[in-house]
Amino acid sequence: MSWYYYDDARERKADIQRKIEKLRKRGEKFEVLAAPAGNKKLAVTFWGKAWCTHLEKHKDYEYRLPRGRSYLRQGNVYNLEIEPGAVTATVAGSELYEVRITIKPLAPATWKRLKADCAGQVTSLLDLLGGRLGDGVLRTIADPEHGLFPEPREIRLVCSCPDAANMCKHVAAVLYGVGVQLDTKPELFFTLRSIDPAELLTTTAQEALADAHGADTALAGEDLSALFGIALSDETPAPTEPAPAKTPKPARMKESTKRKESTKRKKRAQAKKPAKPAAKKRARKVPATRRVERD
């Protein structure tokens, strides 16, 4: 029996791959979410690890999550997208299943409290996204009940598979896929929770960030002209094209043509003239006194 099920599973997987290739040929996007294989950790950065750890702390999820890790490691999660309040993906199982995970935005009162708790401790947006903050701030952010991460009651799970469980293995694979995605794009966590990470920065850091954006805006139009002492047009420049080859001025073309025609006429006139006859040599007269008569 085991061989039968093994061959059957292998054939189903090959069939799914054929379907995916057909869809790709039709122009549909099918990008696999690459995840570490074997015993390597799925996530290694603060945001990726914190997401996965948060999921595993909830008993509602603990039974289905391990199967989801296997599905993700096998390369069965495709087209994972993170947008405000939602995660979508396609998961290859016995068929291609569509998964949608809806997450409520962070409550305004919770966000206000978190900003107050982190006040004066986050001085750099890069440090925030990189998880390079003090332990106190990180614990506040990752607190399972009062932090930034959603609770199970804030998450709605939907999959097109026939499994009646609240969390099927396809959904679990996508949830872990979010952690993998946050490893490389931590800013997507704030997109998912519909909050602006810059609001956690200190007042000084926020002003510096605003000044940086303002400098980008200032380097345009008249400000750039005043800064570098050059005149700039207000019109948006058209796309540059290769400059056409310069053509001689009409007057110069005429003069050149005239010179060429004059030279040609002279050559033709010289060719038509008859050749001058060769000059006859005059016989040299011998003086009479020098003539000698012979008998």
Side-chain angles (χ1 to χ4, degrees), residues 225-286:
S225 175
L227 181 62
F228 293 101
I230 56 176
L232 297 177
S233 173
D234 292 336
E235 299 179 357
T236 303
T240 57
E241 297 181 357
K246 293 183 179 180
T247 55
K249 294 182 179 180
R252 292 184 179 180
M253 288 180 63
K254 289 181 180 179
E255 292 177 3
S256 175
T257 304
K258 286 181 180 180
R259 286 196 298 271
K260 290 181 180 179
E261 291 297 328
S262 176
T263 303
K264 289 181 180 179
R265 284 196 297 270
K266 288 180 180 180
K267 288 183 178 180
R268 285 197 296 268
Q270 290 177 358
K272 290 180 180 180
K273 287 182 179 181
K276 293 181 180 181
K280 294 182 179 180
K281 294 182 180 181
R282 295 180 180 180
R284 188 177 180 182
K285 293 182 179 181
V286 180

Side-chain angles (χ1 to χ4, degrees), residues 142-169:
D143 186 277
E145 296 180 359
H146 306 291
L148 290 176
F149 293 85
E151 298 180 20
R153 59 184 175 82
E154 298 178 300
I155 305 175
R156 184 171 180 267
L157 311 172
V158 178
C159 181
S160 61
C161 77
D163 193 339
N166 183 40
M167 179 189 287
C168 63
K169 55 193 175 186

